[in-house]
Amino acid sequence: MEKLKGPTVGCTKATCGWRALLLPQLNRQSLYLYGSEMAVEKECIRQLQSGILVIHPFSPMRSYYIMCMMAITFLNLIGIPMEIAFLDGDSGLVWEGFNVFSDTLFLIDVALNFRMGIVTEDSEEAILDIKQIRVSYLRSWFIPDVIAAFPIGYILLFADLQYHDDNPSKTNKVMRILMFVRILSLIRLARVSRLVRFFNEVEKVSNANLEVVRLFFRILSLFMMIFLLCHWNGCIQYFVPMLEEFPTDCWVRKENLMNATVIVKYSWGVFRALSQMIALSYGSMDAPTNYVEMWIVMVSMVSGCLMYTVLVANTTAMVATIDPAAKEYKSKMSRLEHYMSFMKLPPELQLRINKYYQARYGGKWFHEKDVMDTVSSALKEQILMVMCSRLLRKVPLFQYRDENFINAVVVKLEYDIFLEGDVIVRQNVPGDRMFFIDHGQVLMETDADERELCDGDFFGESCMLTKGKHLATARALTDCQCFSLCWDDFQEALEGFPDVRKDLEKLILLNSEGGFV
């Protein structure tokens, strides 16, 4: 949105500066709630006139903010268990700096949420009042956010600076305990729901078709969850023996991993975790040597069962929601085949019926009448104008006619499919319908001659005007897509245009001896 218009406020991105990032942007997400571009502009004016610094829920800053927080959270969910289990209190300056940065960002996040606008399901506009935002946040995410934002990174950095040289053994144990406390920040995983809700909102109102994107993110989130589960389990496999100071019968000593590199320790931990989760003997051939290892194995097995359950449930749900139109088409065709077999129709006829359905629906089942009935009359008129107006304009009956009359006729057209070899109309048979060829070739046969019609041509106008007999036989040379107009619908369209009716009556008199097909 380049400019905000209103009686008292005029603001562009250049004049608003950084505040433009806090205002709602013009997209289908905001249009879905407010209904029009003018309403979105008024919402921008309302936010500017309030004079309060609030991040609008439809603003660009909110989108960037969510993506940034989810990226930082995911990195923490990977790095924190690794640091607790394998880094032995010596995580390096880079990781300590990242810890401090993450804690700072999470604390800022708590403060920003008191300035983050809210959209509820039953609201007609975003809630920008500071008091309402504060009450809503305190009742929902405030406590989990405060726990997750507890500045463990600062505490660890201070402990490292104070006790690093006093007693290395004691300091390392204290550091590990403090690092274990940092696992509380894993509650940030609940913030995934915010990203899921965000993508659900975008999916509903975006200009793009996000069906494939939505499926991609659903699959991605599923594999991220499985990855994190295996990752945490692998870290726990090594972390628990480390807390016990590596007993002589623990698996770490048996595999001689005491002085191994971090990547080797991590690889063996994940290998054991996966072996237990998928119930294979590899990596866990020996029975647990103490009750602690026994509990670790049981937890791994249960988490593996849960992983299977979630994986199967999500896979089933995704398969069930993929291309429902194609599934309904296959179901309809299956019923049709049962019907044709029961009626003992000839194979040639069954093949033509199958071919008709394929040409008519293209492998996707839909009810055209239902679709057209659910859209507004204006949209229906526009759809049919795009599809059929060029066909009407080629017919002398409709050339140079009033645009309103053409619109009235267009909405009366019906779509038909004819297969190669189908007889569309027969000579000397009464009819009441005119046909417009959208795609395909039609052979017009009379006792005297033959001629071919193709895209954009028409036939049967005399029957539509007079309900007389067809003067030729029309046979489809190829699969044809046609639109038709019957006498009843045409007469209904003429009711509001008496001048056109008079002109057509004169035309019928002039051509009473022939000239129509």
Side-chain angles (χ1 to χ4, degrees):
M1 184 181 304
E2 294 297 332
K3 188 172 183 179
L4 305 176
K5 301 176 182 178
T8 58
V9 178
C11 182
T12 63
K13 287 185 177 179
T15 58
C16 286
W18 60 270
R19 292 191 65 183
L21 294 174
L22 309 181
L23 302 178
Q25 54 188 336
L26 185 61
N27 56 23
R28 288 191 63 185
Q29 186 179 14
S30 56
L31 290 175
Y32 179 79
L33 179 65
Y34 298 110
S36 66
E37 295 183 15
M38 184 61 66
V40 177
E41 292 181 354
K42 290 181 179 179
E43 177 68 8
C44 293
I45 295 172
R46 181 173 76 94
Q47 181 173 352
L48 289 171
Q49 289 178 335
S50 67
I52 302 174
L53 185 63
V54 177
I55 302 174
H56 199 281
F58 296 148
S59 65
M61 183 174 179
R62 178 179 179 269
S63 302
Y64 304 146
Y65 164 80
I66 290 176
M67 297 300 179
C68 175
M69 289 304 301
M70 294 312 301
I72 296 297
T73 301
F74 187 70
L75 290 176
N76 274 270
L77 296 177
I78 295 176
I80 292 172
M82 287 281 293
E83 182 181 12
I84 294 172
F86 300 107
L87 296 185
D88 296 327
D90 185 18
S91 55
L93 182 62
V94 175
W95 180 251
E96 289 181 0
F98 178 75
N99 283 339
V100 173
F101 170 75
S102 298
D103 288 345
T104 304
L105 194 61
F106 290 160
L107 289 171
I108 295 174
D109 169 59
V110 174
L112 282 179
N113 277 296
F114 286 103
R115 296 278 179 172
M116 188 73 66
I118 303 170
V119 175
T120 59
E121 294 182 358
D122 56 347
S123 65
E124 297 182 356
E125 62 180 16
I127 298 175
L128 303 179
D129 181 70
I130 295 296
K131 292 183 179 179
Q132 295 185 45
I133 294 173
R134 183 187 303 126
V135 171
S136 176
Y137 183 51
L138 289 174
R139 291 178 177 177
S140 55
W141 283 98
F142 176 71
I143 293 178
D145 284 355
V146 169
I147 295 174
F150 189 75
I152 302 294
Y154 289 100
I155 297 175
L156 294 175
L157 182 62
F158 177 77
D160 186 38
L161 294 176
Q162 291 293 322
Y163 304 108
H164 185 71
D165 297 327
D166 294 344
N167 189 338
S169 177
K170 182 178 180 180
T171 301
N172 284 338
K173 186 176 296 186
V174 171
M175 291 293 291
R176 289 194 181 106
I177 295 174
L178 289 174
M179 291 297 292
F180 183 72
V181 175
R182 188 177 173 82
I183 205 70
L184 288 174
S185 64
L186 294 180
I187 200 172
R188 284 274 169 180
L189 181 62
R191 286 301 179 91
V192 173
S193 62
R194 179 173 291 184
L195 183 62
V196 172
R197 290 195 300 270
F198 171 73
F199 279 113
N200 286 337
E201 294 171 3
V202 174
E203 176 191 350
K204 292 178 182 177
V205 296
S206 174
N207 284 308
N209 180 6
L210 287 183
E211 181 64 26
V212 177
V213 178
R214 184 191 65 81
L215 181 62
F216 168 77
F217 276 107
R218 189 170 181 180
I219 295 174
L220 180 63
S221 62
L222 177 63
F223 278 96
M224 285 172 58
M225 183 197 67
I226 294 175
F227 167 76
L228 289 176
L229 183 61
C230 298
H231 174 71
W232 295 337
N233 200 342
C235 293
I236 290 173
Q237 293 282 336
Y238 186 87
F239 177 66
V240 174
M242 181 193 68
L243 289 179
E244 297 181 315
E245 297 183 352
F246 302 112
T248 56
D249 57 351
C250 72
W251 71 272
V252 178
R253 288 191 180 274
K254 292 180 180 179
E255 301 294 342
N256 295 321
L257 300 178
M258 297 293 297
N259 298 318
T261 60
V262 173
I263 187 63
V264 173
K265 297 176 182 177
Y266 176 74
S267 299
W268 273 98
V270 174
F271 177 65
R272 283 180 59 87
L274 286 174
S275 299
Q276 296 165 6
M277 292 173 69
I278 61 179
L280 293 178
S281 60
Y282 299 109
S284 56
M285 298 182 65
D286 297 331
T289 57
N290 54 58
Y291 75 96
V292 176
E293 287 193 2
M294 185 182 300
W295 275 104
I296 293 175
V297 172
M298 287 190 294
V299 170
S300 296
M301 295 173 68
V302 171
S303 62
C305 293
L306 293 175
M307 182 182 69
Y308 280 135
T309 304
V310 173
L311 181 62
V312 171
N314 279 268
T315 303
T316 303
M318 284 186 285
V319 171
T321 56
I322 293 176
D323 205 354
K327 292 181 179 179
E328 187 175 359
Y329 175 81
K330 292 178 181 179
S331 176
K332 297 286 186 182
M333 292 305 297
S334 176
R335 297 175 187 175
L336 178 63
E337 289 176 0
H338 285 300
Y339 169 79
M340 293 188 296
S341 299
F342 178 77
M343 299 303 295
K344 297 181 173 56
L345 298 181
E348 296 81 6
L349 180 57
Q350 294 187 29
L351 182 61
R352 288 185 65 80
I353 294 174
N354 285 324
K355 187 178 179 182
Y356 169 81
Y357 272 85
Q358 180 61 36
R360 180 67 178 82
Y361 297 104
K364 310 283 186 178
W365 188 264
F366 57 89
H367 296 279
E368 184 177 3
K369 187 177 184 302
D370 292 344
V371 174
M372 300 304 286
D373 288 344
T374 54
V375 299
S376 65
S377 58
L379 284 177
K380 180 179 179 180
E381 184 178 299
Q382 292 177 28
I383 293 171
L384 292 174
M385 284 294 292
V386 170
M387 298 171 62
C388 312
S389 61
R390 61 182 178 83
L391 300 176
L392 289 178
R393 294 297 184 184
K394 291 184 177 182
V395 181
L397 295 175
F398 302 109
Q399 289 179 351
Y400 312 113
R401 297 297 181 186
D402 182 72
E403 189 70 25
N404 294 327
F405 173 68
I406 297 298
N407 293 341
V409 173
V410 161
V411 297
K412 304 295 184 182
L413 297 179
E414 297 180 3
Y415 183 70
D416 290 306
I417 290 285
F418 299 97
L419 300 181
E420 179 182 352
D422 282 352
V423 176
I424 303 174
V425 297
R426 296 185 184 275
Q427 187 178 5
N428 298 324
V429 174
D432 67 343
R433 194 172 293 271
M434 177 182 182
F435 295 88
F436 307 85
I437 304 174
D438 189 21
H439 296 291
Q441 293 178 304
V442 175
L443 178 65
M444 304 300 299
E445 300 174 312
T446 64
D447 296 334
D449 62 351
E450 297 179 352
R451 64 190 178 97
E452 291 186 10
L453 304 179
C454 59
D455 297 3
D457 291 331
F458 57 91
F459 59 92
E461 62 270 32
S462 63
C463 294
M464 181 197 67
L465 293 173
T466 64
K467 300 185 71 173
K469 295 181 179 181
H470 288 288
L471 303 179
T473 297
R475 189 185 306 274
L477 295 179
T478 62
D479 293 346
C480 295
Q481 302 174 20
C482 302
F483 290 90
S484 64
L485 178 64
C486 71
W487 185 86
D488 292 331
D489 290 337
F490 186 58
Q491 294 301 315
E492 184 178 343
L494 285 172
E495 289 180 359
F497 303 92
D499 295 338
V500 178
R501 182 187 293 274
K502 291 180 180 179
D503 291 341
L504 293 178
E505 289 174 352
K506 294 178 181 179
L507 183 62
I508 292 172
L509 292 175
L510 292 174
N511 294 274
S512 58
E513 296 182 359
F516 290 125
V517 178

